[in-house]
Amino acid sequence: MFQLQRRVRWPFVGLQLSNIALNSSHAFAAVLYPWIMYDLTRSVVCMALIAFVNGMVLLIGMVFGGYVAEMLGTRHTALISAKIGMLASLMIAILYMADFLHPGTLLLLSFAGSILDGPATVATEAKTPEIARLSRLSSAAAVSIDDTIDGLLLLTASAASAFIIAVIGPKDAAWWIVIGNFIAMMLLSFSLPRFRLGPAPKLGDILHAGRRFRTAAVSLPFALCASAALGFFMVLQIFIVPAALRLQGESVAWLGLFIAASATGTIMMNLHLASRHALPAPTAIVSKALLGLALSMGILWIEISPMTMMVAGLVAGLANGWLSPAFVAILQLKPPRDCRPHVMGLSYSIALLFLPVEYMLTGAAMGLTSFRTACIFLAFLLSLGAAVGAAWVESARDEEPQAVD
């Protein structure tokens, strides 16, 4: 009986295990590949370029993720993405180990490996409720487990990867990405069901999803301002702090200190918000998140040291945790089954909308000036964005039609 129950639960368990392996390898790649790019080019602009390309590919993939997933099917989309990612990471590891890796090759392989990440994410997330039913779990329990695991990985995987890279070195760490992708591919092949293809998708479905999103409870100005804040938080972890460490010749372990402190700050703020009787107003969310990120940049401007890494990371994490209500509103939409992939893909893409632009903006600022000058420039922009964003969100709320008794 126990074996039968375990076998019935397998599709959902296998999917979660594959997500753990895949997200861990993605976290390693997000830390390691820009680090390798700087080794190859000694340029922070090229370091930003690889992050920009991957961010842009992910953003576009999210927008069209539902279309691709419905055209190829959930299982094929996820498996093709895992296979391409595994082969691309394998080529990078082999070439880097043999000292034959060139910047253009790294950029091309990184692009190829992430080209279907967006559609694969949308495909599996959209099918989570159905996989839960096949595993005899309630949709609510499955979504809760899925969100908890994703949240824990988001908070811990990047910090762990930075420490591991510092201990074993970047060349050996490149193979960890290959192993993670291979494990994810095998788990997906054994656990993901073969769903029946629906009617041929239409590009107009994406526009329909956009109209449905506009009718959601979250206002568009609020969503865009929150997207800008989240994007900068990710740029801070993936590009700004690693670039500062590379310029000063410091260890990647210091990046682990920053990310671990930011994860701690995020958890602290999430617990604080959970204990409140009422959520903060949208204007307060926007202004305080952006000001917190500006303060984090100011701390980094003072000095690059283990202590400032931890303090700046904690402040940035508190700002990121303060954004949680915004992304609960943006990402937890409950669309009907027929348009679920398109709405989910659009929600993810809006959450990451400003990420590629912020990579290039920060890369250009650091490449054309210096790290300390870029800190002042970015802190000023974030403070200005806090004021403008709060006023814009407030004006949008004032213009909303009021209910008539």
Side-chain angles (χ1 to χ4, degrees), residues 277-349:
H277 295 295
L279 293 177
T283 50
I285 291 174
V286 168
S287 60
K288 291 183 179 180
L290 290 171
L291 287 174
L293 293 170
L295 178 58
S296 181
M297 291 302 304
I299 296 169
L300 293 176
W301 172 81
I302 296 171
E303 185 186 17
I304 298 297
S305 68
M307 180 57 68
T308 55
M309 287 287 106
M310 289 188 288
V311 175
L314 181 65
V315 172
L318 292 171
N320 181 54
W322 187 250
L323 286 170
S324 295
F327 291 101
V328 168
I330 295 170
L331 299 178
Q332 297 298 321
L333 299 178
K334 304 298 182 185
R337 180 177 173 179
D338 60 336
C339 65
R340 186 188 300 151
H342 304 288
V343 175
M344 291 183 67
L346 188 64
S347 299
Y348 287 131
S349 65

Side-chain angles (χ1 to χ4, degrees), residues 49-329:
L49 180 62
I50 190 170
F52 165 79
V53 169
N54 288 337
M56 185 61 74
V57 170
L58 183 62
L59 177 65
I60 296 173
M62 290 295 186
V63 174
F64 294 96
Y67 180 85
V68 174
E70 290 193 347
M71 180 174 63
L72 298 178
T74 298
R75 180 179 171 86
H76 285 305
T77 303
L79 284 176
I80 291 172
S81 174
K83 290 174 183 177
I84 293 176
M86 196 269 292
L87 289 174
S89 62
L90 178 62
M91 290 299 300
I92 290 173
I94 292 173
L95 293 173
Y96 190 43
M97 183 70 71
D99 293 325
F100 289 149
L101 186 62
H102 298 286
T105 307
L106 175 61
L107 189 65
L108 180 62
L109 289 172
S110 178
F111 168 81
S114 60
I115 196 167
L116 281 180
D117 281 354
T121 299
V122 172
T124 54
E125 290 292 328
K127 291 295 185 182
T128 295
E130 293 172 56
I131 294 172
R133 284 196 294 272
L134 289 173
S135 301
R136 298 186 180 178
L137 288 171
S138 68
S139 295
V143 170
S144 176
I145 293 170
D146 183 66
D147 290 345
T148 300
I149 292 175
D150 288 345
L152 288 173
L153 284 172
L154 184 65
L155 293 174
T156 60
S158 296
S161 65
F163 287 121
I164 292 172
I165 292 169
V167 172
I168 68 175
K171 287 191 175 180
D172 288 335
W175 289 98
W176 284 55
I177 302 173
V178 180
I179 293 169
N181 284 329
F182 178 77
I183 293 172
M185 180 184 69
M186 296 303 294
L187 288 168
L188 282 172
S189 64
F190 286 121
S191 64
L192 202 57
R194 298 179 183 275
F195 292 99
R196 190 170 48 187
L197 283 175
K202 301 176 182 177
L203 289 175
D205 294 336
I206 300 174
L207 297 177
H208 176 67
R211 288 192 293 268
R212 181 174 289 275
F213 184 86
R214 286 296 302 271
T215 63
V218 58
S219 70
L220 187 60
F222 181 42
L224 294 179
C225 290
S227 172
L230 176 67
F232 190 83
F233 174 75
M234 297 176 68
V235 170
L236 189 58
Q237 292 194 121
I238 296 173
F239 170 67
I240 296 177
V241 173
L245 296 177
R246 297 263 57 184
L247 289 170
Q248 298 200 13
E250 303 295 352
S251 169
V252 68
W254 291 18
L255 174 61
L257 292 176
F258 180 91
I259 298 175
S262 70
T264 302
T266 299
I267 294 170
M268 290 169 59
M269 184 56 71
N270 284 338
L271 292 174
H272 167 69
L273 291 175
S275 67
R276 289 170 58 121
H277 295 295
L279 293 177
T283 50
I285 291 174
V286 168
S287 60
K288 291 183 179 180
L290 290 171
L291 287 174
L293 293 170
L295 178 58
S296 181
M297 291 302 304
I299 296 169
L300 293 176
W301 172 81
I302 296 171
E303 185 186 17
I304 298 297
S305 68
M307 180 57 68
T308 55
M309 287 287 106
M310 289 188 288
V311 175
L314 181 65
V315 172
L318 292 171
N320 181 54
W322 187 250
L323 286 170
S324 295
F327 291 101
V328 168

